Amino acid sequence: MIQDILKGLDPVQRKAVEQMNGPVLIVAGAGSGKTRVLTSRIAYMLEMGVDPSRILALTFTKKAAGEMKDRISQMVGQRKAWRLAMGTFHSVFIRFLREYASVLGYPSTFTIYDTSDSETLLKRIIKEKGLDEKTYKVREVRNRISAAKNNLVTPKAYRNNPAALEKDRHSDKPKIVDIYEAYQNAMKASGVMDFDDILLNMNILLVLSKDACRSISERFDYILVDEYQDTNMAQYIILKTLSKTKKNICVVGDDSQSIYGFRGARIENILNFRRDFPSAVVFRLERNYRSTRNIVSAANSVIEKNQGRIEKKCFSEGEDGAKIHIIHSADPESEARDVVSSISSRLMLDKAAYSDFAILYRTNAQSKSLEEALRRRNIPYRIYSGNSFFERAEVKDMISYMKLTVNHSDDESFRRVVNKPARAIGDTSVQRLSAVAKKNGKTLFEAAYLDDSILMEGGLRGAAIGHIRSFCEIISKATAASQSEDAYAVAALLADSSGLYVSYRSDTSVESQSRAANIEELVNSAKIFVDDARGEYIENYMADHDEIEDIDDVDMSSFKAPGLSDFLENIALLTAVDSTSKEEDASNKVAMMTVHTAKGLEFPFVYITGMEEELFPTFGVNDSPSDLEEERRLFYVALTRAEKAAVLSFADRRMRMGEYKDHAPSRFIREIDPKYIDNPLSKEDFEIDDEEGLDDPYGWGYRGRGYGSSGYGRGEARYGKAVSDRYSAKGAYPQKSSFSRPSSQSASKPAAGASSNTSIPKGAKPLSQLRPSSPGKPSQPRHTDDSDFTRLSPSQVAPGTKVEHNRFGYGTIESVSKVKDSTRVKILFDNGELKEIILEYAKMRLA
C-alpha cells in the first residue's frame, strides 16, 4: 500500500511525503502537484500507523477539503479517511467554540453572520449614532473592523491603540472605534458571530482558558495546513499555539501566489516559517505539471522581480507550446471584439470547447464590454463571482427565518422578516418594540412577550402587538419542531407557515414565480443535505464493519440526522470558491472572472485583459513596494492558470470618470522576457517614466515619457495588422456551418441567463455539494466532477444497465428490488466488488 501511495511521485515530492515528523515547509510552485503531495503525505502517515483522529488538516475551502478526503479515501480506504479531522479553518474552529462557548459568554447554538448581515447591522448602528453615512461608508467600516479582528485587536485594544485612533482621525472617521464596540456588543447580545469572530474568539479561548488550550492541543499529533501563504495573523497565532508542544506541523503553500493581502493575509507567515521553526525541513516543488515551457518561463521572468520571495525556479518538462501573444487595441470595446475574435478562431482551429477558455480581468467592471462582444458572437459564457444563490433577497429572507428559529436572540433576522410577507407590522412598530427591548434589556423576541401595559407604554397598539406575537408563534412552533425533526422537515415547515413561499407562488408574475422557485430550491437543498448525511453514515458504517454486507443490517440507531443549525452552519461556511467554482456549472461556456476568483483553477486557453498601467497593476501601487509586489504575484497567478496558451490584451485608452484617459501598457508585459512573446511590443508602445526604476529587458533606454494624454495619438491599434493576420477580424470568424457547437445550447441566441451571474440553470442543485462526500475505492479513476452525477430514478435502471458511480466508478446493475420506500440496486463494479446501494442516496449516471 505504501508503494502504491508513493508511486508516480517525483523525487522531491516523495521526500516531502516521507518526512513525517518535525516542522516541514513545502514550497509548492504553480501546477507542481501540491494537492497530491499533501494527500499522499496524509495517506502515508495513516499507513504508517498514525491514528486518523490525531491528524488535523486545515484548508481554506470546503471544496478543497472534500477533494483531499476523496483522494485519501481512494489511497487508504474509506474506513481511515472518514475519521480524519479535516475541514476549513472556520468549520474546525467552530466545533471548539461551540464546545467551550460558555467560557466566552456565548450560547453553544450561536449563529453566524455573513457579510451582508454584518453590513445591515453596521448600517443600523451608524444611523442610530447619528453619523454621516457618506463619511462612514458601511463597507469601509466593515473592512476596518475586519482588519482589526484579523490582527487580534478587540474594541478595548483598539481604543488603547494611539496609532489606530490617529489613522481614523486622519481619514475623518474618528468614531470607528465606537461603532466597532457597539457592533460587538450587539452581536454578543444576539448570540451571533461573524466570520472574523470565529478566528478572534478562537484565539481568545486559547488564551483565556488553559484547560481548553491544553485539551485541544493534546487531541492532535500532526497538523497540516494547505495554502499557508493565505493565512492571516489570527490563523498564524492559532497554529503556533496548537503546534507549540509537538511541533509536528507541515505547511504547504506558494509565496508567489500570496494575493489576499487586502483580506489580511500575511506573506510573512510563509516567508518567516523557518524563523518560527528553526529546525524546519524545506522542500521546493519546482516542476510544473500544468503548463507549457513558454508559459512557465514567462511567469518566472516576471515573478523574479519581486524581492520578498522564497528562491525557487519553476520549470516544465512538457512541450514548448505557443508563445505569449499580445492583443493591442484602441479602447475597451475594440479589445473585447479582438479577444472574442481570437476565441472564435481557436474554437475552430483547435477544435476547442467553450469551457476550455477563461477571460480574466482585474476588476469586475471590465466584464461589460466583454459580455456584449460574446453575446454578439453567440458565444455562451458564465460569470463567476462572489454573488451567489444565497445572496438573493428571498433566499436570505428564508435563511433569516431559519436563523431566528435556531436563535431567538438574533435581532437582525427578526427585523428582516417580521413583516415578510406583509403582516401589517410597520417600521414604526418595529422601532417602538426595539426601544422597549433596549429599555428592558431584552431581545426583540423576548420583548414581544412583555406585559401589554409595558408595550403600550412604549407606543405599541393592540393590533400591532397581536401581529408581532403571531409572527413569534410561527418561529416558536418551528423551534419546537427542530428539537425532533431534521433540517429538511423544519425548512419545509417554515416555508409554508411563514407564508413566504405561498405569497410568491400565488403571484403569477415571472419575478414572483422565480422567487418561489428559489425558496423551493433552498428547501430542496436541505433535503439533499440530510440525504447526503444519511448516505454518508451508511457508507462509513459499512466501511467500518466488514461483516456487514446488506444495507438493511446497518445499525441506524446512532445516526443523528442533521438539524437546522447544522444546515445553517454549512451554508454560512461556504466561501466564494465553494459557491462559484468552475465545477458548479457543468455546461459548456466560456468562463469569465477576476484573477482573484481564478486562483486554484486552470484552463487550456487563458486571456488576461486590461493589461494597462493603473488597471493592472492597479492605481496607486507605486506608493507601496509591497502592494506592487502583490500585484505582480496576482499577474503571476493569472498567467499560470493557462495550460496551453496565454493571451494578454490591453487598450490605448479607457474611460475614467466620464472621459477617456490614455494609459501605457502594463509594466508586467515589459517584465516578460521578450523571447517568450511571439509579437513583442515596440519601443513606442511604452510610456514609462524612467524614475520608476523598473527593469528594461528590451534595452530601449526609456527617457521618461510620462503618462501625458497627448501620447502618440494612439487612436488606432498599432497591432491591428498583427491581430488581423493571426486572428483575422474578417476572414477568421468561424461561420455557423463551419463547426458544430459541443453544447446543446441554441447557437442563435445567448445561453439563458448568460448575462447574469445570479441565474441558476433549470434543475440545478446549488447546495448539492455542501457536505464533502466520503468516497470509496473506485473501480477506475474518476474523470468528471460530482456536479455531473445525479440521483437516478427507478425507471432509469434495470438489470444489465451500465452505470458510473461518483465514488466507486463503473459497473453493471445485477438486480433491482423495492424495499419499503427505497429502491435497492446490486451493482457489480469493474474491479470485481459487488455492492448493494440505495438508489435514492447514490450519485450515479448512466454510462
Side-chain angles (χ1 to χ4, degrees):
M1 182 67 75
I2 287 179
Q3 289 308 310
D4 288 341
I5 292 170
L6 299 176
K7 185 178 180 181
L9 297 173
D10 65 39
V12 181
Q13 290 176 331
R14 177 166 180 154
K15 289 179 181 177
V17 167
E18 293 176 324
Q19 182 66 44
M20 281 178 49
N21 298 313
V24 174
L25 169 62
I26 301 175
V27 183
S32 63
K34 75 172 180 65
T35 302
R36 181 179 182 185
V37 170
L38 194 53
T39 53
S40 296
R41 181 182 171 86
I42 295 173
Y44 180 84
M45 292 165 66
L46 295 175
E47 284 302 301
M48 293 297 289
V50 178
D51 184 339
S53 64
R54 307 290 296 177
I55 299 175
L56 173 62
L58 298 168
T59 67
F60 275 86
T61 67
K62 293 174 71 68
K63 174 176 173 287
E67 288 179 350
M68 285 172 59
K69 211 164 193 178
D70 189 356
R71 294 191 189 190
I72 294 167
S73 181
Q74 292 177 24
M75 293 182 193
V76 299
Q78 196 170 336
R79 178 184 298 181
K80 293 180 179 177
W82 76 274
R83 293 177 55 219
L84 286 166
M86 176 179 287
T88 65
F89 282 90
H90 291 85
S91 67
V92 170
F93 295 161
I94 277 179
R95 298 176 211 164
F96 303 140
L97 291 176
R98 292 200 189 283
E99 183 179 349
Y100 293 98
S102 60
V103 176
L104 299 169
Y106 281 87
S108 61
T109 56
F110 65 82
T111 47
I112 304 165
Y113 274 178
D114 61 18
T115 300
S116 61
D117 294 329
S118 297
E119 290 182 353
T120 299
L121 175 56
L122 285 170
K123 186 175 183 179
R124 181 169 62 81
I125 291 172
I126 290 169
K127 186 175 181 179
E128 288 177 352
K129 289 186 174 293
L131 300 173
D132 184 358
E133 294 181 29
K134 293 182 179 178
T135 300
Y136 290 90
K137 295 179 180 177
V138 171
R139 185 158 296 180
E140 291 180 8
V141 173
R142 181 181 61 79
N143 289 342
R144 185 76 171 131
I145 292 173
S146 176
K149 290 183 180 182
N150 286 333
N151 285 286
L152 306 181
V153 178
T154 62
K156 182 178 180 181
Y158 198 124
R159 198 175 289 283
N160 292 326
N161 188 324
L165 298 178
E166 178 57 32
K167 182 176 181 178
D168 291 342
R169 281 192 292 269
H170 186 71
S171 61
D172 295 324
K173 300 178 182 67
K175 299 294 185 181
I176 283 183
V177 64
D178 297 330
I179 298 171
Y180 182 14
E181 187 173 57
Y183 173 70
Q184 288 301 98
N185 289 340
M187 283 204 301
K188 194 162 190 178
S190 294
V192 298
M193 297 184 192
D194 62 21
F195 293 121
D196 299 316
D197 281 326
I198 294 169
L199 301 178
L200 175 63
N201 286 329
M202 184 65 191
N203 272 287
I204 291 173
L205 174 64
L206 294 177
V207 172
L208 199 61
S209 172
K210 291 182 179 179
D211 288 340
C213 183
R214 181 172 56 255
S215 172
I216 296 170
S217 297
E218 289 178 350
R219 295 177 196 183
F220 307 108
D221 295 326
Y222 295 91
I223 299 175
L224 299 97
V225 186
D226 190 20
E227 304 287 8
Y228 188 65
Q229 78 281 348
D230 293 334
T231 53
N232 58 29
M233 172 64 83
Q235 290 161 326
Y236 168 76
I237 297 297
I238 292 170
L239 291 170
K240 282 197 70 176
T241 302
L242 294 181
S243 61
K244 185 176 181 180
T245 303
K246 298 177 182 176
K247 293 185 171 55
N248 289 328
I249 180 170
C250 171
V251 302
V252 183
D254 182 7
D255 55 295
S256 295
Q257 297 186 68
S258 178
I259 60 173
Y260 295 115
F262 66 97
R263 292 183 188 167
R266 300 171 73 252
I267 191 173
E268 295 85 359
N269 292 352
I270 191 168
L271 295 180
N272 296 334
F273 185 81
R274 285 173 292 180
R275 183 199 66 186
D276 297 328
F277 298 94
S279 61
V281 179
V282 180
F283 298 98
R284 291 176 172 81
L285 307 184
E286 297 173 309
R287 181 177 175 182
N288 184 305
Y289 291 88
R290 174 193 301 154
S291 308
T292 63
R293 291 185 181 185
N294 272 314
I295 291 171
V296 173
S297 297
N300 283 343
S301 66
V302 174
I303 199 62
E304 66 187 15
K305 307 294 189 298
N306 274 5
Q307 298 300 310
R309 59 188 293 264
I310 298 172
E311 276 303 319
K312 62 180 178 298
K313 190 73 172 179
C314 293
F315 65 94
S316 170
E317 293 186 353
E319 59 184 23
D320 288 341
K323 291 187 176 183
I324 309 298
H325 185 75
I326 297 173
I327 293 178
H328 180 172
S329 307
D331 51 43
E333 290 71 32
S334 301
E335 178 190 33
R337 287 194 296 271
D338 291 340
V339 165
V340 173
S341 175
S342 172
I343 290 174
S344 295
S345 297
R346 283 198 181 277
L347 281 165
M348 180 176 63
L349 299 174
D350 293 77
K351 293 184 172 60
Y354 296 125
S355 56
D356 289 339
F357 295 85
I359 301 175
L360 310 184
Y361 33 78
R362 181 63 180 82
T363 66
N364 281 309
Q366 295 169 246
S367 71
K368 180 177 177 292
S369 57
L370 291 161
E371 287 186 73
E372 291 172 350
L374 286 164
R375 285 200 297 270
R376 281 194 295 270
R377 299 296 295 274
N378 294 324
I379 295 178
Y381 65 91
R382 162 154 179 131
I383 292 181
Y384 296 82
S385 73
N387 295 324
S388 70
F389 172 79
F390 304 104
E391 291 302 312
R392 299 174 191 186
E394 65 277 6
V395 174
K396 287 195 69 65
D397 289 342
M398 197 66 240
I399 290 174
S400 289
Y401 270 106
M402 296 177 185
K403 286 181 176 179
L404 193 57
T405 296
V406 171
N407 177 13
H408 289 183
S409 299
D410 189 345
D411 283 354
E412 289 308 309
S413 290
F414 186 105
R415 287 187 175 90
R416 183 178 181 101
V417 296
V418 67
N419 199 39
K420 290 182 182 178
R423 298 186 176 87
I425 304 172
D427 290 343
T428 300
S429 295
V430 176
Q431 289 169 7
R432 288 172 177 171
L433 179 65
S434 181
V436 171
K438 186 174 183 180
K439 181 179 179 180
N440 290 273
K442 302 290 185 181
T443 66
L444 293 177
F445 196 95
E446 291 171 334
Y449 289 100
L450 288 171
D451 235 38
D452 285 6
S453 59
I454 297 175
L455 294 172
M456 297 180 106
E457 185 182 330
L460 286 162
R461 296 293 172 259
I465 295 172
H467 293 316
I468 291 171
R469 285 177 178 167
S470 294
F471 163 75
C472 291
E473 283 304 304
I474 294 171
I475 302 300
S476 294
K477 288 178 181 178
T479 301
S482 69
Q483 304 305 308
S484 57
E485 301 289 341
D486 62 36
Y488 167 68
V490 183
L493 172 65
L494 277 170
D496 289 336
S497 62
S498 68
L500 200 62
Y501 176 74
V502 175
S503 66
Y504 286 128
R505 180 56 74 193
S506 61
D507 186 337
T508 58
S509 68
V510 174
E511 181 181 5
S512 288
Q513 291 299 304
S514 175
R515 291 179 184 275
N518 287 334
I519 292 175
E520 188 175 341
E521 191 64 43
L522 180 66
V523 175
N524 287 342
S525 69
K527 179 69 164 69
I528 293 170
F529 177 67
V530 172
D531 285 350
D532 282 350
R534 184 176 288 107
E536 185 175 343
Y537 173 86
I538 290 171
E539 290 183 353
N540 288 337
Y541 189 94
M542 294 184 74
D544 214 26
H545 296 77
D546 291 335
E547 71 279 6
I548 301 293
E549 296 182 359
D550 194 299
I551 291 172
D552 290 331
D553 296 330
V554 173
D555 180 7
M556 299 296 292
S557 62
S558 59
F559 171 68
K560 182 181 179 183
L564 193 61
S565 59
D566 300 310
F567 179 57
L568 286 172
E569 184 175 304
N570 232 3
I571 293 174
L573 294 177
L574 280 177
T575 66
V577 172
D578 292 316
S579 55
T580 59
S581 64
K582 181 181 175 184
E583 291 78 8
E584 185 187 57
D585 187 354
S587 59
N588 189 24
K589 299 177 183 178
V590 172
M592 297 177 63
M593 65 191 79
T594 64
V595 181
H596 281 100
T597 303
K599 186 173 179 290
L601 302 179
E602 55 191 49
F603 302 85
F605 307 104
V606 171
Y607 289 74
I608 309 171
T609 61
M611 291 298 301
E612 302 137 36
E613 288 293 313
E614 298 189 8
L615 182 56
F616 200 0
T618 192
F619 176 78
V621 296
N622 288 322
D623 298 333
S624 169
S626 62
D627 287 348
L628 176 58
E629 292 208 347
E630 178 148 327
E631 286 288 303
R632 188 175 285 114
R633 292 194 294 270
L634 189 60
F635 176 65
Y636 175 84
V637 166
L639 196 55
T640 54
R641 297 312 91 197
E643 298 171 344
K644 295 180 178 179
V647 177
L648 314 181
S649 69
F650 70 94
D652 289 327
R653 58 178 189 157
R654 199 172 291 268
M655 187 170 284
R656 294 288 180 95
M657 302 300 290
E659 60 181 86
Y660 278 102
K661 299 287 186 182
D662 284 2
H663 292 286
S666 170
R667 69 190 71 192
F668 299 148
I669 295 178
R670 189 170 64 125
E671 290 176 354
I672 298 174
D673 190 318
K675 66 185 178 184
Y676 303 120
I677 301 176
D678 74 344
N679 58 336
L681 298 183
S682 65
K683 174 180 178 180
E684 289 77 13
D685 284 306
F686 287 94
E687 297 174 357
I688 299 178
D689 193 330
D690 203 29
E691 293 179 2
E692 291 178 5
L694 296 176
D695 293 335
D696 182 11
Y698 293 83
W700 289 337
Y702 295 103
R703 297 182 180 177
R705 298 184 188 278
Y707 293 110
S709 60
S710 59
Y712 292 93
R714 304 192 296 173
E716 297 180 1
R718 264 181 226 288
Y719 277 80
K721 184 176 186 304
V723 172
S724 178
D725 288 344
R726 184 168 289 271
Y727 307 108
S728 172
K730 295 181 180 179
Y733 282 83
Q735 301 300 312
K736 288 183 180 179
S737 60
S738 65
F739 66 100
S740 60
R741 296 178 183 274
S743 76
S744 59
Q745 199 84 41
S746 169
S748 63
K749 61 182 180 180
S755 63
S756 170
N757 59 8
T758 60
S759 64
I760 287 189
K762 184 178 180 181
K765 302 296 184 188
L767 300 186
S768 63
Q769 296 179 19
L770 279 178
R771 187 178 282 270
S773 59
S774 295
K777 184 178 179 181
S779 55
Q780 66 184 74
R782 268 180 50 191
H783 55 78
T784 99
D785 304 299
D786 275 356
S787 56
D788 291 330
F789 294 88
T790 59
R791 290 177 172 81
L792 297 178
S793 65
S795 62
Q796 291 178 282
V797 298
T801 302
K802 302 284 188 182
V803 295
E804 182 184 3
H805 190 281
N806 74 320
R807 301 184 184 104
F808 306 133
Y810 294 98
T812 304
I813 293 179
E814 292 211 333
S815 66
V816 180
S817 58
K818 190 76 175 178
V819 180
K820 296 180 182 178
D821 296 326
S822 65
T823 303
R824 311 293 177 89
V825 291
K826 285 188 177 180
I827 304 175
L828 179 62
F829 287 97
D830 290 357
N831 65 353
E833 289 188 48
L834 180 65
K835 290 182 177 290
E836 184 177 37
I837 290 173
I838 300 178
L839 193 64
E840 287 78 6
Y841 298 150
K843 291 183 180 179
M844 298 192 294
R845 65 180 185 177
L846 298 177

